[in-house]
């Protein structure tokens, strides 16, 4: 049994707010009575609508009568007064379309920018944060001391993970983690390349990758086990359920057993792979991974929940001293650890200590977002204070009638908040429109978290912050006006406020100029990186994996490829041309420091390597079939020669592990890694029949003949290696990929700089409008006395140009310092030149002039008769 | 006519109050329903409240709170009564109209002029 139906409660609440308290009872009573009457007449549902409709009628014209002695007890939130405030605010908004437009658009752009950055930062911080054990997960990095220097290295020896678990009780689980490479898998006639990696049996116990089939304990337990992703399972077997327990052929050499299927790896994980092989099985194919000299995989471990990380770190520091012995020479390598979820954002080394990384971009963008928002707020402040004369009378009257200062402050802050509320809705619209392109630019999958309450909380917070920031100064300024002076009509422009306004404009433009300089320098650096002579020719250089039957038939393959007319040279190497991160410390020579090991980057190469890569030989020669002894010889680069220090290196002997060989050639330095690092010592050995491992076949194609060359290569590989799909890479693209984050920063910096200057100019436009308005009479008089239009435009513009000039002076040193910091991250970088500042200055001055002149020309062209008529 | 002018709608409301006050029924809802019935206009509650308030400001009506009733959720109604000034104003309007009507040469009648 339902009691009497009630009208919608929210409508009643609304009524409470708008209705004068001493009138509430009768009005609500009437509404209720009407409601009861309407229920009988048209039914409850429609009566409810009707009720709301009636209430809304009262919103339009609430009863506000006051009887004598029946004053409202609400004081600050007095509905009548609130209505008056709102009315005044709206009238002002509608009356000054330019100013409202400038403010709302500026604030909306600023807030949209902040929102985007906020979403981006949130996404960056969420990376790798989903692992349940993240508080216990660490990764190892090494500090290598050699010839008085120290460097940080993330590559670790293969056996290290096991050793950690064995010798340190606090370490529960550990795994090496190799580098992802594309490997060929087949089931029956289905062949596919998959991003493959290797890890130990502990892997799935440490990391929270969701297993659809199999258990974390059993996932990589056996030597022949393989964990695959959902998509890989679906492509080979149709479903995860069908895949579990089946065998799959790997590299056309081994059969592996599928022991687990994990959910496709999400974007917020730094470790990405389609499948994981068991580490021991990986070592079978890669014997070097057994030894302590070679360093290649990353090492992750998990400590017990109760263990103290500092103590663990102390224990592992000198762990390597007992290994790596090579003729009883202790190697100065220390181990250190870093929280696993930390390493995505902090991956750079400075003096072998973790020092920043992507986190710097996160900070940088946050600062930029705040700056842009600040610029928008300054617009509001400037325009509000500049126009204070217009509102002065209102303030005067309010004060005389008895408004307290706090009320006035409340009123003006409220107005700013109202404007900000408009702006935030516009900003949300902007963000919604911009997100798709922003996502494709930053390679993320961010969406507007509409359903997330905290997001709305953030929005409210942002609105409040912006409103207060923008509104507080004008509110104080306006509420401080002296009513007597104001109402007398003597509203002198306060010099103090003019100073402040100019200061704020300088600040705005300084920020914009810093961003423009940043944009120029980042752009130049990115361009430099992409066009730098790397010491080898990366154009028209294609490489494809040397795998399957190609390995043993390499000589035939080389012969066949040489026949193709559009291909100039062909060779092979164990790494890829654009990036080679492996290292070895097993190198010694006469006079080498027994206590300091040097990390060399080893690479196995085929004949014609130098010619194919288009390297220059500084001394000696390339490997050649004419000299059978070359099979034990080495090529080194100039950096290696510097370390070794031989005067006449050719023919001198180098020891590598247990073998030795003569230096047959010295290569001019070339960049086999990204330009963030300086060129390391390189040692190349001849990788022929007995020693040939996989790697890549590198092919130099004649310019413009890429298509046909690739077609013929594919046909050839299909014929010689039918079990493997043909995949290839362009060196120049792979090289460019290393600078993806710089590319993104470059593009983003363009947008930021544009936004900053745009919002600044919006404000300038508003101010110019205002000055032109203020000085109409002066301009009129000047024109009557014979001033030319151009002189008047100059007169109005020069004030602003002065400000921009000061801004340039202020901004230049700051910009220089900031960009210098950024460039430190590159071992090879451009110089910051003075013309960049000039360009930024001229650019901003020109834009400012354009903005101002639009208004000043309009003012100068006015008919003086009109402007002086009233005098 | 030098008196506080009365709008047409106000006049209707004032008349309605005069009609209903005898039964002690001159309050918002009742007045609204009465006017809807009499004139066929679609009137909203808030308009009536606003009109009554204006009339009260002009001194044409006065009001006091009545008894609470159940259908109003225990809320009291405000009952209006027409003041002497209000009555006089209504009377004046009526007189002006009447004198104008009498001066009409040919009163409108439904007739067919041949």
């Amino acid at each position: 049994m339902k009691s009497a139906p009630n009208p919608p409660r929210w409508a009643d609440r609304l009524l409470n707010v708008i209705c004068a308290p001493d009138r509430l009872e009768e009005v609500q009573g009437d509404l209720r009575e009407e409601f009861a009457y309407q229920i009988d007449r048209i039914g409850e549902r429609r009566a409810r609508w009707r009720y709301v409709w009636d209430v809304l009628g009262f919103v339009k014209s609430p009863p506000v009568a006051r009887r004598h002695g029946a004053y409202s007890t609400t004081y600050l939130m007095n509905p009548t007064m609130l209505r008056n405030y709102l009315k005044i605010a709206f009238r002002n908004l509608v009356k000054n379309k330019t100013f409202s437009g400038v403010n709302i658009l500026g604030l909306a752009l600023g807030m949209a920018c902040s929102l985007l950055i906020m979403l981006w930062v949130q996404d960056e911080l969420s990376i790798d944060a989903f692992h349940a054990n993240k508080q216990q997960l660490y990764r190892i990095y090494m500090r290598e001391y050699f010839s008085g220097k120290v460097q940080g290295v993330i590559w670790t020896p293969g056996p290290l993970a096991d050793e950690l678990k064995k010798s340190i009780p606090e370490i529960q689980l550990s795994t090496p983690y190799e580098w992802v490479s594309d490997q060929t898998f087949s089931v029956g006639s289905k062949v596919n390349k998959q991003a493959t990696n290797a890890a130990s049996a502990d892997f799935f116990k440490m990391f929270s990758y969701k297993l659809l089939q199999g258990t974390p304990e059993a996932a990589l337990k056996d030597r022949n086990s393989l964990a695959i992703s959902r998509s890989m399972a679906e492509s080979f077997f149709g479903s995860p359920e069908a895949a579990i327990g089946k065998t799959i052929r790997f590299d056309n050499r081994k059969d592996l057993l599928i022991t687990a299927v994990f959910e496709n790896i999400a974007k917020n994980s730094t470790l990405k792979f389609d499948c994981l092989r068991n580490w021991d099985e990986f070592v079978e194919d890669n014997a070097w991974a057994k030894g302590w000299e070679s360093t290649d995989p990353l090492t992750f471990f998990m400590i017990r929940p109760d263990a103290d990380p500092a103590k663990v770190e102390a224990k592992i520091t000198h762990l390597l001293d007992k290994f790596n012995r090579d003729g009883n020479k202790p190697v100065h390598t220390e181990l250190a650890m870093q929280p696993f979820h930390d390493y995505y954002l902090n991956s750079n080394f400075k003096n072998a200590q973790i020092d920043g990384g992507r986190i710097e971009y996160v900070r940088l963008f946050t600062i930029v977002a705040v700056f842009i928002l600040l610029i928008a707020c300054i617009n509001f402040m400037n325009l509000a204070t500049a126009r204070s004369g217009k509102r002065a009378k209102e303030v005067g009257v309010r004060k005389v009638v008895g408004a307290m200062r706090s009320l006035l402050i409340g009123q003006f802050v409220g107005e700013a908040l109202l404007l900000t509320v408009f702006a935030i809705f516009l900003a949300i619209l902007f963000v919604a429109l911009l997100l798709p392109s922003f996502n494709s630019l930053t390679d993320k999958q961010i969406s507007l978290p509409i359903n997330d309450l905290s997001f709305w909380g953030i929005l409210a917070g942002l609105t409040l912050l912006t409103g207060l920031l923008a509104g507080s100064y004008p509110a104080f300024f306006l509420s401080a006006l002296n009513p007597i002076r104001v109402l007398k009509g003597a509203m002198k422009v306060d010099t103090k406020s003019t100073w402040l306004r100019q200061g704020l404009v300088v600040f705005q433009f300084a920020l914009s100029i810093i961003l423009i300089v940043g944009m120029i320098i980042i752009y130049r650096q990115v361009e430099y990186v992409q066009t730098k002579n790397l010491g080898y020719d990366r154009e028209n250089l294609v490489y494809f994996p040397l795998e399957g039957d190609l390995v043993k038939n390499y000589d035939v393959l080389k012969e066949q490829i040489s026949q193709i007319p559009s291909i100039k040279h062909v060779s092979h190497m164990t790494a890829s041309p654009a990036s080679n991160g492996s290292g070895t410390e097993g190198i010694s020579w006469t006079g080498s420091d027994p206590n300091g090991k040097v990390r060399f980057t080893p690479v196995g190469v085929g004949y014609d390597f130098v010619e194919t890569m288009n390297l220059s030989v500084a001394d000696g020669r390339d490997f050649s079939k004419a000299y059978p002894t070359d099979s034990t010889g080495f090529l080194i680069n100039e950096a290696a020669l510097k370390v070794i220090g031989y005067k006449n290196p050719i023919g001198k002997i180098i020891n590598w592990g247990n073998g030795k060989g003569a230096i047959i050639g010295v290569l001019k330095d070339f960049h086999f890694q990204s330009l963030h690092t300086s060129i390391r010592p390189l040692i190349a050995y001849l990788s022929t029949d007995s020693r040939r491992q996989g790697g890549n076949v590198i092919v130099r194609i004649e310019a413009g003949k890429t298509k046909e060359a690739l077609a013929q290569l594919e046909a050839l590989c299909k014929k010689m290696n039918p079990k493997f799909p043909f995949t290839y890479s362009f060196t120049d693209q792979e090289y460019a990929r290393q600078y993806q984050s710089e590319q993104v920063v470059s593009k983003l910096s363009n947008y930021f700089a544009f936004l900053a200057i745009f919002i600044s100019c919006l404000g300038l436009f508003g101010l110019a409008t205002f000055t032109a308005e203020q000085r109409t009479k002066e301009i009129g008089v000047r024109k009557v006395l014979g001033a030319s239009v151009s002189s008047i435009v100059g007169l109005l513009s020069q004030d602003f140009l002065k400000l921009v000039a000061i801004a340039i002076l202020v901004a230049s040193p700051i910009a220089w310092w900031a960009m210098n910091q950024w460039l430190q991250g590159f071992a090879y970088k451009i110089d910051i030149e003075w013309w960049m500042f000039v360009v930024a200055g001229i650019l901003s001055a020109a834009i400012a002039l354009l903005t101002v002149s639009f208004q000043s020309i309009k003012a100068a062209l006015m008919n003086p008769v009109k402007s002086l008529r009233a005098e | 006519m030098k008196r506080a002018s009365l709008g047409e709608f106000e006049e209707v409301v004032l008349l309605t109050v005069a009609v209903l006050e005898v039964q002690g029924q001159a309050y918002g809802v009742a007045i609204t329903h009465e006017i809807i019935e009499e004139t066929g206009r679609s009137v909203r509650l808030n308009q009536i409240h606003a009109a009554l308030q204006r009339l009260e400001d002009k001194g044409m009506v006065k009001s006091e709170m009545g008894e609470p009733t159940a259908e109003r959720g225990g809320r009291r109604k405000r009952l209006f009564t027409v003041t002497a000034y209000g009555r006089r104003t209504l009377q004046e309007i009526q007189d002006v109209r009447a004198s104008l009507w009498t001066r009409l040469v040919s009163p409108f009648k439904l007739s067919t002029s041949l």
Side-chain angles (χ1 to χ4, degrees):
Chain A
M1 157 89 206
K2 238 174 74 172
S3 62
N6 267 329
R9 190 135 26 116
W10 64 267
D12 273 351
R13 283 210 199 104
L14 183 62
L15 199 67
N16 283 341
V17 172
I18 55 160
C19 192
D22 56 332
R23 280 295 180 128
L24 189 61
E25 186 179 358
E26 70 204 59
V27 168
Q28 214 158 22
D30 272 2
L31 282 164
R32 283 301 165 99
E33 194 178 325
E34 175 72 12
F35 180 61
Y37 163 81
Q38 292 291 0
I39 286 180
D40 296 340
R41 207 171 67 90
I42 53 177
E44 189 185 337
R45 203 171 54 85
R46 286 180 58 199
R48 289 171 74 91
W49 279 113
R50 176 77 198 217
Y51 187 89
V52 172
W53 169 243
D54 281 340
V55 168
L56 288 179
F58 280 101
V59 174
K60 225 172 59 180
S61 62
V64 289
R66 298 221 173 281
R67 266 157 201 75
H68 182 67
Y71 276 99
S72 145
T73 46
T74 48
Y75 163 63
L76 196 82
M77 294 297 282
N78 182 315
T80 325
M81 221 47 205
L82 269 182
R83 258 181 353 115
N84 174 280
Y85 289 148
L86 274 176
K87 217 182 255 176
I88 297 281
F90 267 111
R91 281 178 192 167
N92 271 307
L93 272 184
V94 177
K95 200 164 95 187
N96 308 301
K97 290 192 179 58
T98 321
F99 292 111
S100 319
V102 164
N103 278 327
I104 291 180
L105 184 64
L107 286 170
L109 284 173
M111 290 209 268
C113 178
S114 310
L115 271 180
L116 272 182
I117 298 296
M118 236 188 262
L119 290 169
W120 181 80
V121 168
Q122 222 173 8
D123 195 80
E124 285 285 290
L125 295 176
S126 77
I127 295 222
D128 281 342
F130 63 94
H131 294 294
N133 307 323
K134 69 173 182 190
Q135 299 305 336
Q136 297 148 255
L137 291 171
Y138 289 88
R139 82 159 175 173
I140 290 272
Y141 65 95
M142 310 202 298
R143 284 195 285 265
E144 297 187 327
Y145 294 87
F146 63 98
S147 42
K149 279 192 295 191
V150 62
Q151 66 174 10
V153 177
I154 55 171
W155 306 283
T156 53
L160 177 63
D162 266 349
E163 184 57 37
L164 284 171
K165 216 165 43 166
K166 255 186 278 179
S167 56
I168 292 162
E170 286 99 328
I171 293 181
Q172 242 179 316
L173 304 166
S174 66
T175 178
Y177 181 81
E178 256 302 327
W179 300 87
V180 171
S181 61
D182 282 342
Q183 301 290 349
T184 305
F185 288 88
S186 55
V187 173
S189 61
K190 235 184 237 153
V191 182
N192 232 332
K193 291 222 169 189
Q194 302 284 356
T196 309
N197 210 325
S200 81
D202 289 345
F203 186 85
F204 286 101
K205 293 184 237 169
M206 295 164 64
F207 297 104
S208 311
Y209 293 107
K210 192 175 155 211
L211 291 180
L212 305 168
Q213 295 288 325
T215 60
E217 286 72 29
L220 290 171
K221 210 164 150 203
D222 302 321
R223 182 171 290 238
N224 66 339
S225 56
L226 183 78
I228 64 174
S229 70
R230 174 204 280 270
S231 63
M232 184 169 166
E234 282 166 354
S235 72
F236 277 109
F237 302 96
S239 76
E241 296 76 25
I244 191 87
K246 298 265 172 41
T247 53
I248 188 165
R249 194 140 181 86
F250 164 66
D251 204 26
N252 206 22
R253 288 182 298 123
K254 308 178 175 181
D255 283 319
L256 298 176
L257 183 69
I258 293 167
T259 50
V261 181
F262 52 86
E263 183 54 82
N264 291 338
I265 290 182
K267 265 219 152 122
N268 62 354
S269 162
T270 47
L271 312 181
K272 291 189 177 75
F273 43 85
D274 289 333
C275 59
L276 278 184
R277 300 158 64 190
N278 173 286
W279 179 255
D280 300 333
E281 186 265 323
F282 173 83
V283 173
E284 273 176 27
D285 295 348
N286 300 276
W288 53 262
K290 285 198 197 95
W292 287 93
E293 291 81 17
S294 296
T295 51
D296 195 46
L298 299 170
T299 299
F300 304 130
F301 64 88
M302 185 167 122
I303 58 174
R304 294 181 189 288
D306 55 351
D308 174 7
K311 281 190 185 135
V312 176
E313 178 142 44
K315 282 189 187 176
I316 62 171
T317 307
H318 295 291
L319 192 73
L320 279 185
D321 290 4
K322 50 182 171 180
F323 302 100
N324 245 354
R325 289 176 178 274
D326 173 25
N328 292 332
K329 283 180 271 181
V331 172
H332 282 236
T333 304
E334 290 175 2
L335 294 182
M337 62 199 234
Q338 177 187 20
F340 174 79
H341 62 89
D342 198 47
Y343 99 89
Y344 170 72
L345 288 175
N346 296 285
S347 54
N348 291 358
F349 289 110
K350 195 172 180 181
N351 300 329
Q353 300 288 356
I354 296 284
D355 179 64
R358 275 187 81 93
I359 187 81
E360 283 156 21
Y361 286 134
V362 171
R363 283 193 203 119
L364 184 78
F365 287 163
T366 311
I367 291 170
V368 167
V370 169
F371 277 172
I372 287 179
L373 195 59
L374 204 58
I375 291 176
C377 289
I378 288 176
N379 278 354
F380 183 92
M381 292 186 211
N382 274 343
L383 293 177
T385 49
R387 288 170 48 235
S388 59
K390 305 231 178 221
R391 300 291 297 271
K393 276 232 163 37
E394 182 196 335
V395 174
V397 170
R398 279 181 193 277
K399 278 197 163 181
V400 168
V401 170
M404 299 164 69
R405 191 168 168 196
S406 58
L407 277 176
L408 283 169
I409 290 175
Q411 180 199 345
F412 288 118
V413 170
E415 275 184 33
L417 279 173
L418 187 75
L419 209 80
T420 324
V421 169
F422 287 136
I424 193 100
F425 283 117
L426 198 57
I428 294 170
L429 183 76
F430 284 159
V431 171
L433 291 174
L434 287 172
L435 259 183
S437 37
F438 183 76
N439 277 338
S440 66
L441 174 70
T442 53
D443 192 31
K444 295 228 177 246
Q445 292 164 323
I446 303 171
S447 58
L448 264 179
I450 298 281
N451 306 324
D452 192 356
L453 261 181
S454 66
F455 171 70
W456 291 101
I458 287 175
L459 281 186
L462 183 68
T463 313
L464 207 64
L465 179 86
T466 314
L468 289 175
L469 199 67
S472 51
Y473 171 69
F476 278 98
F477 177 83
L478 276 164
S479 60
L481 290 173
N482 179 341
I484 297 172
R485 263 188 36 213
V486 166
L487 292 177
K488 260 190 193 156
M491 189 51 201
K492 281 213 300 288
V493 179
D494 195 353
T495 46
K496 210 166 55 184
S497 73
T498 317
W499 269 109
L500 192 97
R501 264 208 297 284
Q502 290 180 334
L504 288 174
V505 171
V506 167
F507 180 71
Q508 276 185 319
F509 271 84
L511 285 182
S512 307
I513 290 162
I514 290 172
L515 287 173
I516 293 176
V517 171
M519 169 181 100
I520 295 172
I521 289 174
I522 292 172
Y523 176 80
R524 298 269 307 172
Q525 172 68 19
V526 170
E527 197 183 35
Y528 167 82
V529 160
Q530 291 181 337
T531 53
K532 183 174 190 322
N533 178 1
L534 299 174
Y536 70 94
D537 182 2
R538 65 174 179 273
E539 306 290 324
N540 306 312
L541 189 63
V542 171
Y543 60 96
F544 61 92
L546 183 62
E547 58 192 354
D549 298 344
L550 298 181
V551 181
K552 56 180 187 292
N553 299 328
Y554 170 74
D555 293 332
V556 182
L557 175 77
K558 184 169 187 297
E559 187 51 41
Q560 293 274 337
I561 293 178
S562 310
Q563 303 296 321
I564 299 175
S566 51
I567 288 177
K568 286 200 217 158
H569 307 291
V570 55
S571 178
H572 91 273
M573 65 192 292
T574 49
S576 76
S579 66
N580 178 0
S582 56
T584 178
E585 286 155 348
I587 308 240
S588 59
W589 57 92
T590 322
S592 64
D593 179 0
N595 297 330
K597 287 283 181 173
V598 179
R599 248 177 97 76
F600 279 74
T601 300
V603 58
V605 303
Y607 289 114
D608 301 333
F609 173 72
V610 170
E611 206 173 5
T612 310
M613 291 280 284
N614 205 354
L615 302 169
S616 341
V617 180
D619 197 353
R621 55 177 177 79
D622 187 8
F623 293 115
S624 154
K625 285 190 174 158
Y627 301 86
T629 49
D630 277 3
S631 62
T632 57
F634 297 120
L635 290 176
I636 57 173
N637 67 353
E638 287 170 320
L641 181 64
K642 212 175 274 169
V643 172
I644 295 170
Y646 285 148
K647 281 280 176 295
N648 301 308
I650 304 303
K652 294 276 190 345
I653 301 296
I654 290 185
N655 308 310
W656 186 350
N658 305 325
K660 55 170 67 171
I663 300 175
I664 57 169
V666 177
L667 301 172
K668 275 230 168 77
D669 274 346
F670 66 101
H671 291 276
F672 51 88
Q673 288 176 331
S674 91
L675 298 186
H676 287 287
T677 50
S678 29
I679 298 177
R680 292 168 182 266
L682 178 88
I683 181 158
Y685 58 92
L686 192 58
S687 149
T688 47
D689 302 340
S690 58
R691 292 203 293 183
R692 188 178 306 123
Q693 308 140 325
N696 291 299
V697 179
I698 48 176
V699 174
R700 169 78 55 195
I701 296 175
E702 227 171 282
K705 300 256 174 90
T706 314
K707 251 209 180 93
E708 57 236 59
L710 282 172
Q712 282 168 298
L713 274 179
E714 179 160 21
L716 184 64
C717 288
K718 274 265 182 300
K719 199 174 72 195
M720 292 186 61
N721 193 18
K723 286 276 182 195
F724 289 77
F726 176 70
T727 51
Y728 58 88
S729 319
F730 291 98
T731 308
D732 47 1
Q733 285 175 7
E734 290 304 310
Y735 173 79
R737 190 169 301 179
Q738 301 177 12
Y739 304 100
Q740 221 163 1
S741 63
E742 280 78 15
Q743 287 274 18
V744 170
V745 171
S746 170
K747 285 214 181 85
L748 280 179
S749 70
N750 293 357
Y751 294 134
F752 286 154
F754 172 77
L755 251 183
I757 194 85
F758 181 76
I759 298 176
S760 303
C761 282
L762 263 183
L764 206 55
F765 179 78
L767 277 182
T769 314
F770 167 75
T771 357
E773 235 173 68
Q774 281 241 307
R775 297 168 78 173
T776 26
K777 290 229 159 50
E778 180 198 341
I779 293 164
V781 172
R782 283 174 189 274
K783 281 189 82 165
V784 169
L785 294 177
S788 67
V789 171
S790 59
S791 74
I792 287 173
V793 172
L795 175 89
L796 286 173
S797 308
Q798 74 186 151
D799 292 355
F800 291 110
L801 282 182
K802 259 185 224 150
L803 298 182
V804 176
I806 296 170
I808 294 171
L809 292 180
V810 173
S812 296
I814 301 173
W816 184 85
W817 175 83
M819 289 327 293
N820 214 14
Q821 290 288 322
W822 181 75
L823 286 173
Q824 293 308 319
F826 291 87
Y828 303 90
K829 51 183 181 273
I830 52 164
D831 296 325
I832 301 180
E833 289 161 53
W834 60 270
W835 64 261
M836 296 173 182
F837 298 94
V838 173
V839 167
I842 290 176
L843 197 67
S844 52
I847 295 172
L849 188 62
L850 208 70
T851 315
V852 174
S853 59
F854 176 77
Q855 279 299 335
S856 37
I857 288 170
K858 211 165 84 177
L861 290 175
M862 281 241 326
N863 186 347
V865 173
K866 268 193 189 143
S867 55
L868 297 178
R869 199 182 291 165
E871 289 293 315
Chain B
M1 274 201 308
K2 52 182 216 323
R3 52 166 184 81
S5 64
L6 203 51
E8 186 268 348
F9 181 65
E10 287 174 10
E11 186 192 337
V12 174
V13 173
L14 189 55
L15 266 169
T16 315
V17 172
V19 169
L20 292 176
E21 69 181 358
V22 188
Q23 311 137 41
Q25 283 296 319
Y27 66 98
V29 179
I31 295 170
T32 313
H33 288 179
E34 189 67 31
I35 289 179
I36 290 173
E37 260 170 58
E38 283 289 335
T39 64
R41 298 183 195 181
S42 58
V43 189
R44 283 171 77 184
L45 257 178
N46 62 301
Q47 295 167 310
I48 297 294
H49 273 266
L52 287 167
Q53 216 172 321
R54 286 198 299 273
L55 288 168
E56 196 164 12
D57 289 345
K58 290 174 180 174
M60 309 258 182
V61 296
K62 60 180 192 289
S63 66
E64 54 198 22
M65 299 306 280
E67 291 304 304
T69 61
E71 61 191 350
R72 302 170 66 87
R75 292 178 184 84
R76 294 175 300 168
K77 35 181 102 158
R78 185 179 289 281
L79 292 169
F80 289 87
T81 46
V82 184
T83 58
Y85 173 50
R87 280 198 207 99
R88 215 179 61 224
T89 312
L90 280 173
Q91 196 59 55
E92 271 173 20
I93 292 172
Q94 193 62 3
D95 292 347
V96 168
R97 290 191 181 156
S99 81
L100 282 169
W101 273 101
T102 54
R103 287 170 56 198
L104 209 55
V105 178
S106 55
F108 318 113
K109 281 194 197 120
L110 287 171
S111 65
T112 48
S113 57
L114 295 163

